Amino acid sequence: MSEAVSTAAKGRARGAGRPGPIRLLLNNTLAASGLVLLVLIIAAALLAPLLPLPDPDATAPADRLLRPLTEGHLLGTDALGRDILSRLVWGTRVSLAVGISATLIAAFFGSLIGLVAGYAGGRVDAFLMRGIDMVMAFPYILLALAIVAALGPGLLNALYAIAVVNIPFFARNIRGITIGLSRREFVDAARLSGKSNAGILFGEILPNVLPVIIITMSTTIGWMILETAGLSFLGLGAQPPQADLGSMLGEGRKILFTAPHVSIIPGLMIFALVMSINLLGDGVRDVLDPRLKSGALTRPVARTAVERRTVPETRTHGDSVLEVADLNTEFHIGGDVYRAVGGIDLHLKQGECLGIVGESGSGKSVTAMSLMGLVPTPPGRITGGAAWLDGEDLFAVSDERIRALRGADVSHVFQDPLSTLHPLFTIGDQLTEAIMAHRPIRRSEADARAEELLRLVRITNPAERLKVYPHELSGGMRQRVCIAMALANDAKIIIADEPTTALDVTVQAQILSLMDTLRRESNAAILFITHDFGVVSAVCDRVAVMYAGRIVETGTTEEVLNAPAHPYTRKLIDCVPVLGEPGRRLDAIEGRPPVVNDLPPGCAFAARCPRVKPDCRRGHIALSSLGDTQAVRCLYPLTGETADD
Amino acid sequence: MTDTPLLEIDTAERVFGGGRTLFGKSLPAVHAVQGISFDVRRGETLGIVGESGCGKSTLARLIVGLDTPTSGAITFDGMDLVAEARRDPQKLAQRVQYVFQDPVASLNPRKTIRTILEAPLKHLLGLDRGAREKRLRELMEAVNLAPEFLERYPHEFSGGQAQRIGIARALAADPELIVLDEPVSALDVSVQAQVLNILDDLKKTFGLTYVFISHDLSVIESVSDRVAVLYFGRLAELGASERIFSAPRHPYTHLLLKSAPVPGKRSLIPEDANTELPDPYDPPQGCAFFARCPRGTDRCKSEQPPLEAAPGHPGHMAACHHPVEENEDA
Ligand SMILES: Nc1ncnc2c1ncn2[C@@H]1O[C@H](COP(=O)(O)OP(=O)(O)OP(=O)(O)O)[C@@H](O)[C@H]1O
Ligand code: SF4
Ligand code: SF4
Ligand SMILES: [Mg+2]
């Protein structure tokens, strides 16, 4: 039940924090002006029969070629004396109708072909796509001309021609997406739920493709209107006396110099129409594109914004290479403030390895990324605290200094080696570049150093391996290359964020023992982020347990593992199966961690804690010492006698 | 648990790729699963463990009929599973179900939980509205989720909740066998325990049989009655869980156990970092583990080791020419 409540709270938070799609669209000035213009044009076109306009086809030779703003003819008249305003409104109506119908036809048939080809694959796919390729092999407008030539000129035939030439565009787009979706697990799941192929294609895949179809439509409709106008301009579309924008432009062409308004006015209308549709279409695409959904539409800056409300002054651990005091990092999304890191203290000596353990979302990565300003701004910002690297406050130094330190004094190893390695450059190129970026040495020296680094991380035949590309190496070897890169410039601190989580156990064991040896050899300190106490045991001297953005317990690895004092640490240790103890029923922690935009007062773990008492929910709880090295943030910590309840 | 096999796999093989181009050049082929034979007994949990790319998921898909073996036979309760999957997939899906590794990816983002869970009730069992409603409540109860969740969309759920919905869907048609493909790997440790406990309860309540796949040895040890260790598409070792974890015979099982990090274990003993993994496009002629094996001999290099029982333990099989005996220290 408690879970239902917490999701409800989260749902509410999401609703308030993230603007809805309509608001996002209206925030985009260009898209909003496109929308306004388009609504005006469409309204005029729809209301044409009701507007007090003269008959668009009524000729009046006496009144021919009147200039705009003449009495009775706001926009003047054309070569046959017809009212241009009236023809413009009626012509827009025709052009819009043809453009929209052509888009709908092309979208329907194109998407259908794309869906079937992408889902069926194999021969059906090959057959359909070869057909599409054949259509695409002809130059676009030539094909349209050929179709109209075959069917005879006329507005309806122009419509068919435009629709046909646009089918391949939809078919190819939709096919690509369908192929991706067909391999997704939910399709297999639907099959195992007994759904037929048609049921899966139209019931499971289509709803996911629909937004893409709509985006594609909104971005192509403008072009289709333009193409229809083109055919009419050439005399192959609308036939006299019927007006559409293209034919009006075509009729005005011959008298461009004597009466320019006859062609300029429909020209401007085409421009306004296509422009407004495209602006709106781009806006719609931005809103529906999930990659842009997460935050503001602005690009993050290269270093996290620092807006400290409090700056601690004194260092307490003089002998440490890195000391972090009262670090606070927040994310501001919509009106919500997520306190991802809420007051972290850390210190690391030379050659020491400190483990940070905690569940997903507890703020481990944000803590580590805050140090070198790698948290994206917006929405992130550092709102308090200090981080001293050998006495230098990392949050106060210049951007150049941070850039010089990144990859040199402080280096990172991430979970996914491919996020660090560039796929198109050899290992050697990337290593030498990392070396030369930080010191003025010659290429040949850097090459020699790169080879030495690979040998250091125990890669055999390093001279040859320098020439290979990342994809030619196994996952474990790639991670070793990343570690070599982290060591390239004699780092004082290596921040390793779950470096072995994606690896197989045998490879993990190799990487862990490698890191353990290297830190002893090079004396670099390691900040090791993981969720696995087994991994902590293997490499860390000390460990800090995080919960909801704070450290709840810290101490030497032995202390924390053998005598955890915080109820959360105890539970976290007991909920994992341990090799060699198969019979034990796992002690699950019910419920979920609190969402960090709505932390309860007092202990953040209170809702899940078996030892909770009323005063746990009141006021701030400080980290208090238990002996020399261990400290715990709990009012009723587990001590020796009660540790096993 | 009885000794009658519910599922029998006989020298199953699945080859991807292969064949020839238009010009007769042969295309590279990968043997994802090779000559695998084992039984799953009614009511037991068979754990399958192995590293990435060893063919665990391919095997799982063969068992639920989502994929077809290139050769070999799979028999479910006396009936030819491969033929049944082709003839009447719905009928098979009523009896054999699957839980996916990625809980969120296995739920269609545009469907409510109700629609997702109703699909098997409608298509597999043909239940009417009232009966469906009743069954939905039972299912949500079984996986310990509030009924309000039925009207929500998958993105509103945490990984653990999404996986419980995946389990509810697999349970919906009241199957006999459930294949769980890394069901807890994507979950946070605290949530992992919730899901493992639920799976344990469901098995007892509904008398289920599990094939439980994982790369995590400690998870496999805690859930399995018997364990199969896979290496490079083949069975390396098969036997009762206690035997595999206390007296492993295959050098690869030894390596796995040595490499696993355990809280309180200060140092891991890694194997030599320079060993080469076998190339799936050019598999070695003899034992695939030869390049990494400390016990290998010339015989291992040329001759594929057969799966043989340990002396005195007919159910404990290992594919190794020189297995580790109980009284020696590997
Ligand atoms: N770019 C971002 N924008 C908004 N919120 C973010 C961003 N990055 C992280 N957060 C939030 O900050 C909090 C801490 O996240 P963090 O990534 O540090 O967790 P973690 O402990 O590293 O988890 P995991 O084990 O999953 O890696 C979470 O609530 C997360 O949603
Ligand atoms: S402070 Fe209270 S609620 Fe929090 S962990 Fe300690 S005993 Fe539990
Ligand atoms: S058959 Fe030989 S090489 Fe293979 S595992 Fe056994 S001893 Fe090692
Ligand atoms: Mg992280």
Side-chain angles (χ1 to χ4, degrees):
Chain A
M1 227 34 230
S2 68
E3 285 185 48
V5 174
S6 73
T7 354
K10 205 174 152 207
R12 211 167 37 242
R14 189 182 300 117
R18 202 172 287 154
I22 305 282
R23 255 190 59 206
L24 263 182
L25 188 68
L26 295 182
N27 280 349
N28 180 343
T29 334
L30 284 177
S33 32
L35 179 68
V36 170
L37 190 56
L38 186 62
V39 166
L40 286 177
I41 296 175
I42 292 181
L46 285 179
L47 295 177
L50 303 178
L51 294 176
L53 292 170
D55 180 351
D57 300 334
T59 56
D63 287 344
R64 59 192 298 268
L65 294 182
L66 292 179
R67 300 275 140 169
L69 300 180
T70 31
E71 173 84 57
H73 300 286
L74 194 56
L75 294 180
T77 56
D78 68 2
L80 296 175
R82 296 174 293 198
D83 181 61
I84 291 185
L85 179 62
S86 172
R87 283 182 74 73
L88 188 70
V89 174
W90 284 96
T92 306
R93 193 177 154 96
V94 172
S95 290
L96 265 175
V98 173
I100 292 174
S101 323
T103 309
L104 286 175
I105 296 175
F108 179 80
F109 287 103
S111 305
L112 190 66
I113 294 174
L115 277 169
V116 172
Y119 182 70
R123 256 165 235 204
V124 178
D125 182 28
F127 175 76
L128 286 173
M129 292 328 281
R130 287 306 81 73
I132 293 290
D133 286 347
M134 268 158 58
V135 175
M136 289 190 86
F138 290 100
Y140 205 61
I141 198 75
L142 260 190
L143 183 63
L145 285 176
I147 296 174
V148 177
L151 298 176
L155 200 52
L156 210 56
N157 292 342
L159 190 161
Y160 294 144
I162 299 296
V164 168
V165 297
N166 278 292
I167 284 178
F169 183 62
F170 280 91
R172 298 194 135 215
N173 262 345
I174 302 305
R175 171 179 172 265
I177 293 163
T178 308
I179 289 181
L181 286 168
S182 311
R183 313 256 180 294
R184 291 274 295 276
E185 292 187 337
F186 70 78
V187 170
D188 278 336
R191 196 163 289 140
L192 289 173
S193 295
K195 282 201 158 190
S196 62
N197 281 330
I200 291 173
L201 186 54
F202 297 109
E204 303 281 330
I205 293 181
L206 182 61
N208 287 288
V209 176
L210 218 47
V212 183
I213 299 182
I214 290 170
I215 291 172
T216 318
M217 277 169 70
S218 71
T219 48
T220 48
I221 189 165
W223 296 114
M224 300 232 203
I225 290 177
L226 213 53
E227 284 154 17
T228 329
L231 286 182
S232 291
F233 178 81
L234 295 175
L236 299 170
Q239 297 302 306
Q242 190 185 27
D244 88 334
L245 294 175
S247 61
M248 286 174 71
L249 196 62
E251 287 159 9
R253 182 183 45 155
K254 286 160 282 190
I255 44 174
L256 182 61
F257 295 107
T258 49
H261 68 282
V262 179
S263 46
I264 286 177
I265 289 172
L268 283 177
M269 187 51 146
I270 294 177
F271 173 75
L273 187 58
V274 174
M275 194 69 182
S276 65
I277 291 176
N278 285 352
L279 285 178
L280 180 64
D282 285 352
V284 168
R285 191 195 54 207
D286 288 353
V287 169
L288 291 184
D289 194 326
R291 274 163 301 176
L292 295 166
K293 244 186 189 164
S294 57
L297 292 165
T298 42
R299 191 208 293 239
V301 296
R303 183 183 173 190
T304 316
V306 179
E307 293 159 18
R308 291 187 284 185
R309 290 188 284 263
T310 54
V311 182
E313 272 149 34
T314 45
R315 299 177 57 192
T316 45
H317 296 266
D319 58 339
S320 52
V321 254
L322 175 74
E323 177 169 353
V324 179
D326 196 29
L327 170 66
N328 279 272
T329 306
E330 296 176 352
F331 292 99
H332 292 240
I333 299 169
D336 284 328
V337 178
Y338 291 81
R339 301 195 60 192
V341 176
I344 292 275
D345 303 298
L346 294 174
H347 58 95
L348 257 177
K349 282 205 294 279
Q350 265 198 351
E352 192 179 32
C353 178
L354 171 69
I356 300 190
V357 196
E359 287 177 79
S360 188
S362 57
K364 307 184 294 287
S365 301
V366 175
T367 303
M369 300 214 295
S370 299
L371 301 180
M372 294 313 282
L374 293 175
V375 177
T377 297
R381 61 184 77 161
I382 293 165
T383 55
W388 292 283
L389 179 71
D390 273 340
E392 187 178 15
D393 185 353
L394 292 173
F395 301 152
V397 300
S398 67
D399 288 357
E400 289 85 80
R401 180 70 186 137
I402 278 286
R403 224 170 295 135
L405 288 172
R406 279 184 193 163
D409 291 46
V410 181
S411 53
H412 288 84
V413 180
F414 295 102
Q415 174 171 345
D416 175 12
L418 289 180
S419 67
T420 311
L421 299 175
H422 194 292
L424 298 180
F425 292 95
T426 64
I427 301 298
D429 284 342
Q430 300 188 52
L431 273 171
T432 40
E433 203 206 292
I435 297 165
M436 290 172 39
H438 290 282
R439 29 177 148 172
I441 58 172
R442 268 177 300 143
R443 174 84 200 196
S444 58
E445 287 174 68
D447 283 340
R449 170 88 180 130
E451 199 178 317
E452 189 191 318
L453 284 168
L454 286 193
R455 198 166 292 123
L456 198 64
V457 296
R458 316 291 192 274
I459 286 182
T460 42
N461 202 352
E464 284 305 306
R465 298 286 190 186
L466 283 174
K467 295 181 204 140
V468 307
Y469 291 89
H471 69 90
E472 298 173 62
L473 297 175
S474 70
M477 276 217 241
R478 282 198 286 255
Q479 196 59 296
R480 272 186 255 161
V481 171
C482 290
I483 294 173
M485 242 183 212
L487 294 171
N489 296 297
D490 304 317
K492 290 182 191 146
I493 295 184
I494 298 174
I495 297 174
D497 194 344
E498 309 246 11
T500 58
T501 304
L503 304 175
D504 282 327
V505 270
T506 56
V507 184
Q508 165 168 292
Q510 289 169 1
I511 301 284
L512 291 180
S513 73
L514 172 69
M515 292 188 81
D516 204 39
T517 327
L518 289 177
R519 77 166 159 122
R520 284 169 214 286
E521 285 171 4
S522 67
N523 228 357
I526 302 182
L527 192 62
F528 197 106
I529 298 176
T530 177
H531 60 266
D532 185 339
F533 275 111
V535 170
V536 168
S537 294
V539 289
C540 300
D541 303 311
R542 288 188 300 118
V543 57
V545 182
M546 278 189 78
Y547 189 76
R550 294 212 177 92
I551 291 179
V552 294
E553 177 160 10
T554 173
T556 63
T557 306
E558 286 74 28
E559 282 168 347
V560 173
L561 273 176
N562 298 338
H566 198 283
Y568 175 65
T569 317
R570 167 97 254 167
K571 286 254 175 194
L572 199 57
I573 294 172
D574 287 348
C575 71
V576 244
V578 171
L579 212 55
E581 303 173 17
R584 191 162 58 92
R585 169 91 180 177
L586 301 174
D587 188 5
I589 316 179
E590 288 311 324
R592 295 205 271 155
V595 186
V596 287
N597 65 345
D598 190 18
L599 287 175
C603 177
F605 188 58
R608 307 166 80 186
C609 181
R611 296 166 72 85
V612 60
K613 300 218 170 62
D615 52 341
C616 295
R617 300 183 196 266
R618 262 176 250 137
H620 178 76
I621 298 172
L623 198 65
S624 50
S625 297
L626 287 178
D628 284 349
T629 42
Q630 201 172 1
V632 60
R633 194 187 294 279
C634 173
L635 294 181
Y636 304 101
L638 304 155
T639 49
E641 332 85 76
T642 54
D644 46 11
D645 76 349
Chain B
M1 194 199 310
T2 64
D3 273 355
T4 44
L6 180 62
L7 181 79
E8 290 160 85
I9 299 179
D10 184 17
T11 46
E13 183 163 297
R14 178 69 172 99
V15 184
F16 291 109
R20 282 172 191 283
T21 63
L22 278 179
F23 307 105
K25 211 175 111 210
S26 56
L27 292 167
V30 179
H31 284 71
V33 161
Q34 254 184 104
I36 286 194
S37 307
F38 61 81
D39 293 347
V40 181
R41 299 170 197 155
R42 201 179 277 279
E44 79 169 342
T45 297
L46 177 82
I48 298 183
V49 66
E51 296 183 289
S52 61
C54 73
K56 301 187 296 286
S57 292
T58 308
L59 186 60
R61 293 172 60 85
L62 293 180
I63 298 175
V64 291
L66 282 175
D67 198 358
T68 318
T70 314
S71 69
I74 303 179
T75 317
F76 178 78
D77 201 14
M79 119 197 130
D80 181 352
L81 184 142
V82 180
E84 182 77 0
R86 206 170 294 139
R87 199 176 48 234
D88 192 353
Q90 256 113 326
K91 202 153 151 225
L92 182 65
Q94 266 176 48
R95 306 184 64 188
V96 183
Q97 272 294 338
Y98 195 57
V99 172
F100 294 83
Q101 169 164 6
D102 185 342
V104 178
S106 70
L107 303 175
N108 191 335
R110 303 204 169 253
K111 306 257 159 164
T112 60
I113 302 312
R114 173 184 296 278
T115 328
I116 291 173
L117 289 183
E118 271 189 338
L121 302 178
K122 226 187 278 180
H123 300 288
L124 296 179
L125 300 183
L127 295 184
D128 64 23
R129 236 190 130 76
R132 283 208 300 267
E133 195 56 34
K134 187 161 157 280
R135 181 81 183 132
L136 280 179
R137 300 205 168 260
E138 278 169 22
L139 286 171
M140 292 301 270
E141 171 105 358
V143 294
N144 200 5
L145 287 174
E148 294 94 275
F149 285 75
L150 282 174
E151 314 309 328
R152 304 237 177 109
Y153 286 89
H155 70 87
E156 298 177 48
F157 290 87
S158 69
Q161 292 170 330
Q163 192 57 296
R164 283 189 259 165
I165 292 162
I167 293 169
R169 172 176 51 201
L171 275 181
D174 203 8
E176 291 154 66
L177 174 70
I178 301 186
V179 178
L180 303 128
D181 188 1
E182 304 259 13
V184 296
S185 308
L187 306 180
D188 233 323
V189 280
S190 71
V191 181
Q192 194 171 332
Q194 294 171 9
V195 172
L196 287 176
N197 286 342
I198 284 184
L199 284 173
D200 193 34
D201 296 340
L202 293 175
K203 189 180 161 199
K204 290 197 194 101
T205 322
F206 298 105
L208 298 166
T209 305
Y210 287 159
V211 172
F212 194 112
I213 296 174
S214 177
H215 68 276
D216 187 332
L217 290 153
S218 50
V219 169
I220 285 291
E221 189 190 23
S222 76
V223 300
S224 311
D225 299 307
R226 286 190 312 135
V227 173
V229 181
L230 244 53
Y231 185 72
F232 204 60
R234 289 179 187 273
L235 215 48
E237 189 161 0
L238 174 71
S241 184
E242 317 81 84
R243 292 283 308 166
I244 299 282
F245 285 93
S246 66
R249 285 175 66 74
H250 200 285
Y252 176 61
T253 317
H254 271 272
L255 175 65
L256 282 181
L257 288 172
K258 252 191 335 202
S259 308
V262 175
K265 189 156 101 184
R266 178 68 193 128
S267 63
L268 302 169
I269 310 135
E271 75 176 310
D272 182 3
N274 300 326
T275 51
E276 291 284 334
L277 301 183
D279 176 3
Y281 287 102
D282 182 19
Q285 198 195 356
C287 175
F289 192 59
F290 178 73
R292 302 170 71 182
C293 185
R295 306 168 73 89
T297 60
D298 281 347
R299 178 165 170 228
C300 307
K301 204 170 168 180
S302 55
E303 202 184 306
Q304 191 66 243
L307 202 61
E308 278 168 356
H313 293 277
H316 186 181
M317 322 269 280
C320 177
H321 291 307
H322 314 289
V324 184
E325 300 302 338
E326 245 174 287
N327 46 12
E328 75 179 295
D329 199 22

